[in-house]
Amino acid sequence: MTQGVYAHSVPGRDESVWEPLSEHLTAVASHAAVSATVFGGQRMAEAMGALHDVGKLIQEFQDYIRGKGTSVDHSTAGAVIARERYGAVLGQIMAFGIAGHHAGLANGRVAGGGISSLKERLDGKIPLPLSPDLDVAPATVTLSAPVLSTGFTHHFSLPFLIRMLFSCLVDADRLETERFYARFDAEARGKTAARGCPLTVEDLRDRLDAHLLRFKDKDGPVNALRAEVLAGVRAKAEEAPGLFSLTVPTGGGKTLASLAFALDHAVRHGLRRVIYVIPFTSIVEQTADVFREALGSDDAVLEHHSGFDFDPPSRKTRRKTAESDDEAPDGARKLRLASENWDRPVVVTTSVQFFESLFASHPSSCRKLHAIAGSVVILDEAQTLPLKCLRPCLETLRELARGYRTSVVLCTATQPAVTVEAGFAGGLDTVRELAPDPRDLYRRLKRVTVAHLPEPLDDETLAERLLDETQVLCIVNNRRHARDLLRRIRGEDGARHLSTCLCAAHRRAELASIREELELKRPVRLVSTSLVEAGVDFSFPTVYRAMAGLDSIAQAAGRCNRNGDLPELGRVFVFSSPEGEGRKPPPELGQFAEVAASVLRGHDDPLALDTLRAYFQRLYWQRGPEELDAALVGDGPAPIRGILKALDLYKSDREYPFADIAKAFRIIESPLVPVIVPYKPAGDPDVVQRLLETLKRLPAEKTGGIARALQPYLVQIPRSARNALLAAGSAECVRGDEFGDQFVSLVNGDLYHPDVGLDWEDPTFRKIETGIF
C-alpha cells in the first residue's frame, strides 16, 4: 500500500493521524453503495465513491494538503477513468457525479452556471493518477431493477438517475469526512452522534396509534366522520407502493390521516421515512409541531425549509474550471456545507425546498435527494404548484414512484386536479384514491356558506365589517395588505396579525395565544396572509377571504366552523379590493385568482364540485404543454423553452444541461433572502443576541449548528429590501469578510414590531424614545 498519500490532513497533528486516501475512497464507496441499494444503483455508486478523489494522488495535491501551493483539480481524474473504464453510457452517468462532487453537476456540452462543461473537463489535459495500490473501484458495474423497470426514458429517467447517484456520492463523501474529523473534535463527535434518530417507522406508528386513541370517544358528527376517514385510509396501507390521492375536504382530518397511512404503508412495505411537502405559502413549523405532538418526539421530526444558503450568490461569481476545486486542505469546506441530508424518519419541508432540490445542481442542495428513495412523500395541495413548472414536477413524482420505491400521496381538499383520471391529459395516471367516497364526504362535511361579494371592499369598509364581528378571520394576499389592515383596527379589542413578517418563533407564540383566546370565547379579529390556510387548526364563525384560487378559498373555508360546533353554518365571504390599491396576490398566485374570478361569474357556490371542475379545466386542462413547462433553459440568444424539451434535445449523447436547468427551475420567481431579527421569546429574551455572539467567535467550519439554531428567528424579505436595510445601517452582515451577506442581522430593533413583525418600508425609521439620550 502506498504510504504518505492522504485524503485529509489534521491541522497541528502529525501525519500519522491523517486520513490515508485509500481508506477514504473505500469508506465513501461503501457508504454510497448502501445509499443507492434501494434503487438498484449500488454497484455504480460504489465505483463512483472509489474514484471520486483519485485525483488527490498527484503530487500537487499532496503538496497542497501539506500547506504548500494552491488547490488543484482533483475531481476530473476519476471522471475520466470512469468514462474510459465503464463506457459511453454508464461511464458518462458516473462521470457527471464524480466531476461535480465539489463544484456541482455541470452542463454536458457547453459551460454554464459558472462552471466548465463535463465535455471540457473530460477532453482536457489532466494527469491520471491511477495506481494499482489505490484502485479500489470494481472492474465492471451494473444497474439493476427497479430503476430500469417499465417506463424508463433516456430524456427524463436517465438524468434523474444521474442526480440520484450524485446525491449518494456527495452525502457519503460529506459524512465520511465528518466521521474522520470527529476523532479529533468533541463538537464534531457530538454532531455525528446527533445525526439520525433511534426511533423507527414502526416505533412512530405505535406512538401515533396511542395519540389517536385520545380522540376515539370525541362526540359530534365531524369527529365521527374524521374517524371514518382515518379508518378507511389506513385500510388501504396494504396496497403496493405507487401513486395515491387523498381527497378530503378541509377539516376532515386529512393531515393526521395521511401521516397514519404513510407510517402504516412504510411499515408494511419496508419504506424508510415520511416526507411531508406543504405549499410554499404555508408554515413548515406549524405542521412539524403537530407531528411532534402526535408522535411524542422532537428528534423524529426534521423541519427543513429555506433559511441560510451555504453557497450564497456572492460567492458563486467566479467561473469554476477544471483547474479549481472547492476543498480546503483539511476538508473544512465540506464540513461547512451544512445542508441537512434528511436522515430522520419524518421530514416536513416546503414545495420550494423539495422540487428545487430535485432540479438543483449544487452538492449541498442535492445531498439529501437519495433519502427520498424508499420513502412515502405526502404532497399537500399538489394543485398549488406554479403553472410554469407543473409538468416537470409531475414527471419527478412519476419517476420517484416508477423507479425509486417511493409512494406519493397527493393530498387535496378540492379534487385530484393533476391526474389523468380527473381529465388532465399528460397528468399522473394509475392514481389510487385513499378516501372513502370523496363526493359523499363533501356533502356530509358542509359546515359553511360561501358568498362572493359583488362589489369591491376598500380597506375602510373591510375594517368596519371586521369590527362588527366578535371573532373573525380575514385572509389577504400579501403582507403589506395585512399590515395596513391591522393598522385600521389596531387598538380595538382582539386585533391580531399573522404573516411571514413575523419570524417563526414569534408566529408560534402568536398561534398559541390566538387559540387560547378563541377557546375562551374572547374577541379575536385576526388579519392574516395565506399562511393560516394549511396546518393551522383555527375555527372562526366568520371568515373573509380576498379573491384567490378556489383551492385557497376552500382552505380558508376550512378555518370556519371547523368542528361543526356552531348552531348554524359558518359564514365565508369572498371579496376583492378596488383597483389601484396594490392588493393583488403575488405574481406566482395571480393566475389562480384570475381564473377563479372568471369561473365564479357563472357559478354561485365556490366549493361546489361542478365549480371546482370548471376551475381546474380552465386552470390546467386547457393549457398547452409550453404553458406548463415554461422555464427558459440556457443563457444564449436562443434559450430552450421548457425543461423537459431541453432534456429531450440532449438525450442522444447524454450531455444534459444540468447547470442551466438548475438556474432555470424556480418555484418562486423572485426568491427571498433572510434577515435575523431581534425577537425576544418570553422564556429566553436574550437567545438571539447569544446566538449572534457565538456566531461571531466560532471557527467558520463550526457555524452550521448556529445557523440552524437561528432559523426560528429569520424573516424572509426581497433582496432589494434587505439591501436598503444594509445601506441605511439598519442591518449588518455578520462576519461579512468571510460569509458575504450570508448572515444579515437587523440592528435597528425599532423596525421589528411586537404585532406586525419586520416593517422594512422605511429602513431609517427610529422611535422617538430611541433617539433620546
Side-chain angles (χ1 to χ4, degrees), residues 220-230 247-254 412-413 435-450 554 557-558 560-565 569-570 607:
V222 173
N223 285 318
L225 191 144
R226 289 170 181 162
E228 183 181 325
V229 168
L230 178 65
T247 312
V248 177
T250 303
K254 177 165 49 52
T412 172
D437 196 352
R439 184 173 290 273
D440 185 54
L441 288 178
Y442 278 92
R443 180 185 61 80
R444 295 166 60 193
L445 263 175
K446 184 175 177 64
R447 292 152 297 161
V448 302
T449 60
V450 182
C560 183
N561 194 21
R562 187 173 182 84
N563 299 313
D565 296 332
L569 294 176
L607 304 186

Side-chain angles (χ1 to χ4, degrees), residues 67 97 169 202 242 279 295 300 399 407 432 465 467 473 522 558 565 609 621 644 651 653-654 703 708 737 750:
L169 172 62
E202 291 91 341
L295 300 173
E399 187 64 19
S407 284
R432 291 160 284 173
R465 281 177 168 256
L467 293 175
L473 167 64
R522 292 173 179 165
D565 296 332
L609 291 180
W621 308 337
L644 300 182
K651 68 182 179 184
D653 54 14
R654 295 166 297 281
T703 57
R708 285 190 291 276
D737 54 335
D750 292 342

Side-chain angles (χ1 to χ4, degrees), residues 224 257 274 447 559 649:
V274 177
R447 292 152 297 161
R559 314 307 130 187
L649 286 174

Side-chain angles (χ1 to χ4, degrees), residues 21 28 70 81 141 209 226 334 453 519 563 574 735 768:
L21 179 57
V28 173
T70 58
I81 295 166
V141 297
D209 285 345
R226 289 170 181 162
K334 281 185 188 176
L453 301 179
E519 290 172 3
N563 299 313
V574 180
R735 294 171 68 171
I768 294 175

